[in-house]
Amino acid sequence: MAVADLASFCQQFWEQVFNKCKRALVFLDPECAESLHWVGGARRLLDAGALNVKEFSSFESGGSNQPKAVFVLSSLLQGRTVEIIRDIISLSAFQYCIVFTVLPHWLHLWANNANSEVEESFVFQQFEEKLCEWMGNMNYTAEVLYAPVLFAPLASHLCVTPSLASLFPLGSRDLNQLNCSRPEKKKFGSLSDVDFSSLPVKLQIQIKLLTSGLNHLFEYLDVREDCFAVGTFSKIIAGDLANCPHVKNRRKTAQNKASLVFIDRTLDLTGAVGHHGDSLVEKIISVLPRFPGHTNDVMVNTVELTALHAADGNSDTVAPGCLAQPNDPAAKTLWESLFSIKQKEAIMEVRRHLVEAASREKLPIKMSMGRVTPEQLSSYIQLFKKNVEALENHCGLLQLGLATAQTLKHPQYAKLDNFLAFERLLLQNIGDLQLPGVLNQLYPMIKSHSERKNDDYNLDDLLLLLVYIYSVVGEIPQQKELEVAEDKMTKKFVQVLCDEPELSSLSQKITGCESSSELTFSKAKIALDEIFKTLREITKSRIHMKHFNSVYVPGSNTRQASYKPLLKQVVEEIFNPDRSDCIDIEHMSAGITDLLKTGFSMFMKVNRPHPADHPLLILFVIGGVTVSEVKMVTDFIATHKPGVQVLVLSSKLLKPLDIPELLFATDHLNPDIGI
């Protein structure tokens, strides 16, 4: 089959939007804006003839001489979304409104519990009438269209879903909540018993949005997929896709085949919060602040490219740069290469690109060899700001150069090596001291704000280390010694948290308090008790696994204890030369044909589907993936299976602090989908 190109796939559906934008005001919600960001940004809309691009907000509107509006939305046409559209139209003078939604018509029908026999575009037609009503004339023009702009292509082999950034595997707390919501029904004994129909409707809609988007990807690739799942939540999603009635025609006619493996993030949180990766991109994403309103890109301070002085606090007056450079071929090539090489090589590659660009522009560059420093990179970048044409020609490259320099001199960057050293020490001590001993070792590091120095761990850092410890250690027996250690940790955390003069963003979300003045001892205690309950759940996350039941490799006389990523174990197992069935990678059957095959296989030889059967392997990590994991997978395939193409998809690109927020401060069962 032809090489799958994720960027082209994403571009294709945005073209539908671009074709409708001539002389229009375009309103985007944050999720669609982020998807567009990675395929060309607002520039693509303006090039297509849009008059302006605005935020999807009740505080925005059009002018008296702007009769056309285009809305691009990632939510159902219900609830808050409908209210905002009505607010914008009522403040404007539109005569032509086009609404693009990421959710297909059949999903709108399903969400409204409508009869499946109603007219094919019934919901969209009804909404078109409402749009005309709000515009004040039923003879005006309104269109409601489906555009599956769900994915954002971060690289040629990596895609994320900004609309589903909060999608995360369920835990024991969610199981308890589900059981409480079904007082008259049989309780679930474990997460393995939970099926799709027992989930809250909002979560079902998110899952169906994901499977609908994946179906469009497979239509584009012209493939019939075999679905596999690693983990209980992945099993629910893979099952919904495998049995989705809307994919039958595509599966009958598809010319190619692919294997799709869903993997629960919660089976390995160690890799998500750890600092073992040797990747420049991962360091940039971990250290620099998030781009406003985005879940994957970061904000690059561009003051250095102007005549302003950063010391004067002008960073907020200049538009920030970013990592996404889809309109700049040279910068895009550099960005792609940074995903596949180690940090030291990546920094040298950034320098090489800056030097070559300066030479092409005949800028007075002074060559220097040896170690690359942030000051050296900044000096090269400074050369461009005096030449407007050179600055414009290489704007994308300069943003990547600034991101690299700002990361290398960021105060948090020095801490990353400290984290790595301490995590290695923890791995050794888990084998020797067991969990209570490791917690007692961590206890002295919990320091109040007045005691902490620059290189000490703050509360956010300590939460990362706790997640690392509880995830790597695996299932632990209930023991008095552990209860005592946890109780001591909780009391210290509560005390330190209450003494904080200013709560971090993560602490605000966990405690539900916007400021330290709102935080009481009682609220802090409740939050910390919940955190340690969740940490205990993490140790049981692999309890149902037979093969992938540990990410910890104990030390011996000849080697140190180490962490073995679950994703690496999964890929190694898929391409194991023995081709033995791994019961932890469960195949999800797609209807009666597969059930018959399974039945026949009991008394005659029938080959079960195997994820290594096809030339295209797609891994979807539910709950986020790290740059290091993506690199690890692509490196493995390139070395051991060069004939196989691998695509990595996920809900988001993770930085370590995302995990405590997703674990401790996110309602997994009732996502905010605007209804």
Side-chain angles (χ1 to χ4, degrees):
M1 66 178 287
V3 173
D5 182 355
L6 291 175
S8 298
F9 161 68
C10 297
Q11 290 269 9
Q12 172 184 283
F13 295 108
W14 275 104
E15 289 295 336
Q16 301 172 28
V17 178
F18 301 150
N19 291 338
K20 293 282 187 177
C21 283
K22 196 166 185 182
R23 292 191 291 276
L25 268 186
V26 182
F27 297 87
L28 296 165
D29 68 15
E31 294 78 14
C32 289
E34 185 168 5
S35 293
L36 177 64
H37 177 75
W38 291 93
V39 297
R43 174 177 163 182
R44 294 294 304 275
L45 295 170
L46 298 172
D47 287 348
L51 299 176
N52 202 350
V53 182
K54 295 195 171 192
E55 183 183 356
F56 181 63
S57 162
S58 294
F59 298 102
E60 295 286 0
S61 64
S64 57
N65 59 344
Q66 296 171 324
K68 182 180 176 184
V70 173
F71 299 86
V72 191
L73 309 171
S74 63
S75 51
L76 277 174
L77 300 179
Q78 286 185 21
R80 191 169 66 233
T81 301
V82 174
E83 291 170 11
I84 296 173
I85 294 174
R86 187 179 59 215
D87 290 344
I88 293 171
I89 292 175
S90 65
L91 293 168
S92 309
F94 299 137
Q95 298 173 25
Y96 183 10
C97 278
I98 304 163
V99 175
F100 285 99
T101 171
V102 172
L103 288 84
H105 185 264
W106 67 261
L107 186 45
H108 279 82
L109 277 178
W110 182 88
N112 286 295
N113 294 312
N115 186 336
S116 59
E117 295 176 6
V118 299
E119 196 176 336
E120 190 175 331
S121 55
F122 171 73
V123 177
F124 286 1
Q125 285 176 356
Q126 274 196 330
F127 200 74
E128 286 169 358
E129 290 176 12
K130 281 187 181 179
L131 291 170
C132 290
E133 195 180 305
W134 296 333
M135 285 188 284
N137 189 328
M138 298 307 288
N139 292 319
Y140 285 165
T141 307
E143 292 180 83
V144 178
L145 304 167
Y146 168 52
V149 290
L150 180 68
F151 295 98
L154 272 55
S156 58
H157 57 291
L158 174 63
C159 241
V160 293
T161 54
S163 306
L164 301 170
S166 64
L167 189 66
F168 202 71
L170 305 181
S172 299
R173 275 194 311 170
D174 303 308
L175 180 66
N176 295 336
Q177 202 175 324
L178 275 175
N179 281 334
C180 290
S181 67
R182 32 191 297 134
E184 306 300 322
K185 298 179 183 175
K186 184 183 174 184
K187 305 292 188 233
F188 296 116
S190 72
L191 287 166
S192 302
D193 301 327
V194 178
D195 59 0
F196 179 83
S197 61
S198 60
L199 299 174
V201 171
K202 289 180 181 179
L203 183 54
Q204 289 186 18
I205 289 169
Q206 277 204 325
I207 292 172
K208 286 196 172 292
L209 173 58
L210 172 57
T211 55
S212 165
L214 288 170
N215 180 47
H216 277 284
L217 172 61
F218 299 140
E219 276 182 358
Y220 175 80
L221 298 175
D222 193 24
V223 299
R224 172 194 167 105
E225 77 286 359
D226 281 326
C227 290
F228 301 86
V230 182
T232 54
F233 194 60
S234 286
K235 189 176 171 183
I236 292 173
I237 296 174
D240 185 64
L241 177 60
N243 295 292
C244 179
H246 303 280
V247 305
K248 286 179 181 174
N249 288 338
R250 189 246 312 153
R251 286 193 180 133
K252 283 177 189 172
T253 59
Q255 298 298 304
N256 307 300
K257 288 189 175 182
S259 296
L260 170 64
V261 184
F262 291 98
I263 301 159
D264 281 4
R265 173 78 265 172
T266 42
L267 296 172
D268 177 10
L269 295 173
T270 309
V273 297
H275 297 76
H276 40 267
D278 188 15
S279 163
L280 174 62
V281 176
E282 190 157 275
K283 300 281 172 42
I284 291 171
I285 286 167
S286 297
V287 161
L288 297 186
R290 277 265 155 83
F291 199 81
H294 286 230
T295 54
N296 297 284
D297 207 344
V298 299
M299 194 160 54
V300 180
N301 188 335
T302 54
V303 170
E304 280 186 60
L305 297 177
T306 71
L308 299 170
H309 298 287
D312 297 340
N314 290 308
S315 58
D316 292 341
T317 63
V318 180
C322 59
L323 301 175
Q325 301 297 333
N327 302 315
D328 184 331
K332 190 177 176 184
T333 301
L334 172 60
W335 170 247
E336 289 273 350
S337 71
L338 298 183
F339 270 89
S340 59
I341 54 182
K342 293 184 176 180
Q343 179 175 322
K344 187 177 177 182
E345 298 165 48
I347 295 169
M348 292 176 73
E349 190 69 1
V350 171
R351 177 175 69 177
R352 183 177 71 80
H353 274 74
L354 287 172
V355 168
E356 288 180 359
S359 300
R360 280 198 299 275
E361 298 291 346
K362 297 183 171 51
L363 299 175
I365 192 162
K366 292 180 181 176
M367 288 295 296
S368 57
M369 303 302 291
R371 183 170 164 267
V372 185
T373 66
E375 291 74 25
Q376 184 187 87
L377 294 177
S378 291
S379 70
Y380 294 161
I381 291 164
Q382 292 283 331
L383 296 171
F384 289 82
K385 77 176 186 181
K386 295 171 184 174
N387 184 323
V388 176
E389 190 178 341
L391 185 64
E392 193 173 334
N393 289 344
H394 305 283
C395 190
L397 170 62
L398 294 174
Q399 288 174 67
L400 294 178
L402 283 170
T404 304
Q406 287 164 23
T407 298
L408 295 177
K409 59 188 176 189
H410 196 283
Q412 195 67 22
Y413 179 76
K415 257 192 182 181
L416 299 179
D417 285 339
N418 293 348
F419 266 109
L420 177 58
F422 192 62
E423 286 161 4
R424 284 177 176 166
L425 180 64
L426 289 173
L427 286 174
Q428 305 312 312
N429 291 343
I430 283 167
D432 300 332
L433 303 175
Q434 301 303 316
L435 185 54
V438 172
L439 292 181
N440 288 332
Q441 196 174 36
L442 190 62
Y443 180 81
M445 298 183 176
I446 310 173
K447 296 179 181 179
S448 65
H449 183 267
S450 58
E451 296 173 320
R452 283 199 298 268
K453 295 175 183 171
N454 288 339
D455 55 350
D456 284 327
Y457 295 120
N458 60 34
L459 291 180
D460 291 359
D461 298 335
L462 290 162
L463 282 178
L464 290 178
L465 289 170
L466 281 172
V467 174
Y468 185 95
I469 293 165
Y470 277 79
S471 175
V472 81
V473 78
E475 190 186 4
I476 47 172
Q478 189 72 22
Q479 49 183 289
K480 185 67 179 170
E481 193 183 352
L482 179 57
E483 287 178 20
V484 170
E486 287 181 339
D487 187 53
K488 191 167 79 165
M489 293 280 287
T490 301
K491 286 176 180 172
K492 182 73 170 174
F493 259 108
V494 169
Q495 179 191 333
V496 170
L497 185 57
C498 290
D499 288 342
E500 289 291 295
E502 206 172 308
L503 295 181
S504 69
S505 172
L506 178 59
S507 294
Q508 289 176 27
K509 288 169 183 169
I510 289 172
T511 60
C513 299
E514 290 187 5
S515 67
S516 53
S517 59
E518 289 178 45
L519 182 64
T520 62
F521 179 87
S522 174
K523 287 178 181 177
K525 178 75 166 63
I526 290 167
L528 264 299
D529 284 343
E530 282 299 313
I531 283 172
F532 274 93
K533 272 188 202 168
T534 304
L535 289 170
R536 281 291 187 92
E537 290 172 13
I538 291 170
T539 66
K540 300 172 186 171
S541 60
R542 295 182 292 271
I543 198 170
H544 58 288
M545 292 278 153
K546 300 291 187 289
H547 190 80
F548 305 137
N549 55 10
S550 177
V551 294
Y552 178 65
V553 181
S556 68
N557 293 333
T558 56
R559 68 161 190 262
Q560 289 189 326
S562 61
Y563 152 70
K564 185 170 186 183
L566 180 99
L567 211 51
K568 185 172 187 180
Q569 294 182 46
V570 169
V571 176
E572 284 179 354
E573 186 59 34
I574 288 173
F575 296 108
N576 186 335
D578 295 342
R579 291 269 308 186
S580 57
D581 279 339
C582 178
I583 52 177
D584 289 340
I585 306 177
E586 190 170 349
H587 177 248
M588 307 306 295
S589 61
I592 189 69
T593 308
D594 282 313
L595 288 173
L596 288 171
K597 282 182 190 173
T598 306
F600 286 133
S601 69
M602 292 163 66
F603 39 86
M604 62 182 287
K605 187 165 183 179
V606 175
N607 288 332
R608 290 170 181 265
H610 190 282
D613 286 342
H614 309 310
L616 175 61
L617 172 66
I618 302 170
L619 301 174
F620 197 115
V621 186
I622 305 292
V625 70
T626 68
V627 177
S628 290
E629 288 170 332
V630 175
K631 181 178 183 300
M632 174 187 63
V633 168
T634 53
D635 284 353
F636 180 91
I637 299 293
T639 304
H640 299 281
K641 287 287 173 182
V644 172
Q645 185 187 5
V646 64
L647 301 178
V648 181
L649 311 181
S650 190
S651 37
K652 72 186 297 185
L653 192 63
L654 289 171
K655 65 177 183 178
L657 275 176
D658 289 335
I659 289 297
E661 183 177 333
L662 286 165
L663 268 180
F664 308 130
T666 304
D667 186 346
H668 308 133
L669 288 172
N670 297 289
D672 181 7
I673 61 170
I675 60 173

